[in-house]
Amino acid sequence: MVNDYGGWHLGVSTFVMLLCLRLSAIAWDYVDGATDPSKLSSEQKKTALREIPPLLEYFTSAVSPTEALAGPLSSFADFRDYVYAQGIFKTIPSTIAPCLKRLGVAMGLCLTYVAIANYFPIIELSKPDFYQRNFFYKVYPHIDL
């Protein structure tokens, strides 16, 4: 076993674990589909698979890029509804307006930083007396208290 604590090395065990979780979830949904519906909870009834899914859908859900790295684990029924735009995924709202709003906020923060960066130079941190000063001088270095 190789450990790379704090590094960027990523082992295959994470992907295999998530694949095992997804395939187990499909198996449990299939078992729920073969069980008497009166014995199932409402969530189990919603996600139950009555028949074995086609291989292409099965493997697509197993290695779905939306779940390949870190999840979240979703049921096969939710995956199928998403792919075919059914159920709760029938009307997916547009993401253009929220993206533009966040882009505007980010640009505003960048411009604010550029505007005030000259008043608080980072070179102040390297001066030897900086760490000897009080808190207010550290926050506002041009105000001498």
Side-chain angles (χ1 to χ4, degrees), residues 13-14 16 31-32 36 40 45-46 56 60 64 66-67 70 83 91 96 98 129 136 139 143:
S13 61
T14 303
V16 172
V31 168
D32 290 343
D36 181 26
L40 299 176
K45 289 177 187 175
K46 188 170 56 172
L56 182 61
T60 303
S64 171
T66 58
E67 298 179 5
V83 169
T91 56
I96 294 173
D129 67 331
F136 295 106
V139 176
I143 299 174

Side-chain angles (χ1 to χ4, degrees), residues 52-68:
I52 296 176
L55 277 177
L56 182 61
E57 288 183 3
Y58 177 75
F59 287 125
T60 303
S61 71
V63 294
S64 171
T66 58
E67 298 179 5

